[in-house]
Amino acid sequence: MHLPIPADTRARMDAYVKRLLARIDEEGFAIPFILADPHTGEPSLAYTVGLHVSQGYELAISGLPYEAACSVLNSLAARLLEQQAPPTQAMEVKGAAGGGYSLLLRRAESAAPFILVRTVYRLNPPVWQAVWPDREGRFPGDAACTLSGGAQLLL
């Protein structure tokens, strides 16, 4: 059962999508940001919308504050474009994160979190998640990684 969306909420959503489309027209892609949920402990999420038009994929990152997430996604998009190499599973991109840290790419298993891509384009292009390391450069899944399991979503 679907509940009706109040008119004022629908108007705000339409205005947001309009701003998103303007940003995509100007910059080639936009980056929506979903705040961390203090009730569930789920970390923040940022992802590109529109990058797939020129590159064939979207990018995502979880668990970073807004400015850091946007900076990393912009840097990563530019780095991948410069390399002219499409993302691959477990591809390490050196220096794309602040402080000289590398990022590890992994293909997102579900399109569910990327609702704005579907809203704007009515399709689910591949999404590559940039996973960030602990202070020693170890990624989630590495036995010695010191990040808590809830630091970033593994999409």
Side-chain angles (χ1 to χ4, degrees):
M1 180 171 103
H2 294 282
L3 297 175
I5 298 173
D8 62 329
T9 300
R10 184 172 298 284
R12 283 195 310 273
M13 290 168 51
D14 290 345
Y16 178 78
V17 170
K18 192 180 242 183
R19 287 191 310 273
L20 189 78
L21 288 168
R23 182 65 168 245
I24 293 168
D25 284 344
E26 290 174 22
E27 305 290 329
F29 63 92
I31 302 173
F33 183 80
I34 295 92
L35 293 169
D37 187 334
H39 301 293
T40 65
E42 191 167 281
S44 63
L45 173 65
Y47 60 93
T48 62
V49 177
L51 187 64
H52 77 276
V53 173
S54 62
Q55 298 304 309
Y57 54 84
E58 300 290 351
L59 298 170
I61 195 158
S62 175
L64 296 179
Y66 173 75
E67 288 183 10
C70 291
S71 176
V72 167
L73 289 176
N74 280 307
S75 174
L76 181 58
R79 185 75 52 109
L80 290 171
L81 182 60
E82 286 170 10
Q83 293 177 1
Q84 295 185 349
T88 58
Q89 193 69 17
M91 174 187 233
E92 191 170 332
V93 183
K94 296 185 184 301
Y101 287 102
S102 294
L103 298 170
L104 190 67
L105 298 181
R106 64 184 299 276
R107 178 93 181 253
E109 295 177 3
S110 170
F114 313 111
I115 192 164
L116 288 169
V117 176
R118 286 190 310 283
T119 299
V120 172
Y121 293 101
R122 307 246 187 269
L123 53 84
N124 293 315
V127 178
W128 290 92
Q129 180 182 9
V131 178
W132 44 272
D134 66 11
R135 293 189 186 276
E136 288 75 35
R138 297 174 298 223
F139 294 98
D142 293 348
C145 183
T146 59
L147 293 173
S148 73
Q152 57 188 313
L153 291 172
L154 294 181
L155 306 164

